[in-house]
Amino acid sequence: VSGSDCGHVFIWEAASGRLLRLMHGDRWVVNCLEPHPWQPLVLATSGIEETVKVWAPTGEPLPQDPAEVTRITGLNQSRRQRAQRGRQG
C-alpha cells in the first residue's frame, strides 16, 4: 500500500508488484497511511485536506478504469523523471 503526491492510494500485490487497486484519497497528496490496529483489512489515509478516510472492503468489486490507471501512473512517472533530472542538473 502506498500514498502518492497525486492524491491517490495504490494497493499492490507484494509478490508480483502488480497494481490491484487505485483509489482517490485526497485532492492533493496522500502522505499518511495507517492500518487498523486489530482489523486486518481496514486502512486510514490522510493528506493535505483536513479529512481522514477510512477504507474497508465491502465485498463488492469496484469498477477500475484501465485508461484512468494508465493516465495517473504515467503522470506520476513523468513527475519522478522531471524531479530526478532537476536533482542531476
Side-chain angles (χ1 to χ4, degrees), residues 35 59 88:
Q88 292 173 350

Side-chain angles (χ1 to χ4, degrees), residues 53-64:
K53 291 187 173 76
V54 178
W55 306 88
T58 63
E60 297 178 23
L62 296 173
Q64 193 78 51

Side-chain angles (χ1 to χ4, degrees), residues 3-8 10 26-31 48 76 79:
S4 177
D5 289 350
C6 69
H8 288 85
F10 294 81
D26 189 88
R27 202 172 326 157
W28 295 285
V29 174
V30 174
N31 57 9
I48 295 175
N76 287 350
R79 289 177 184 145

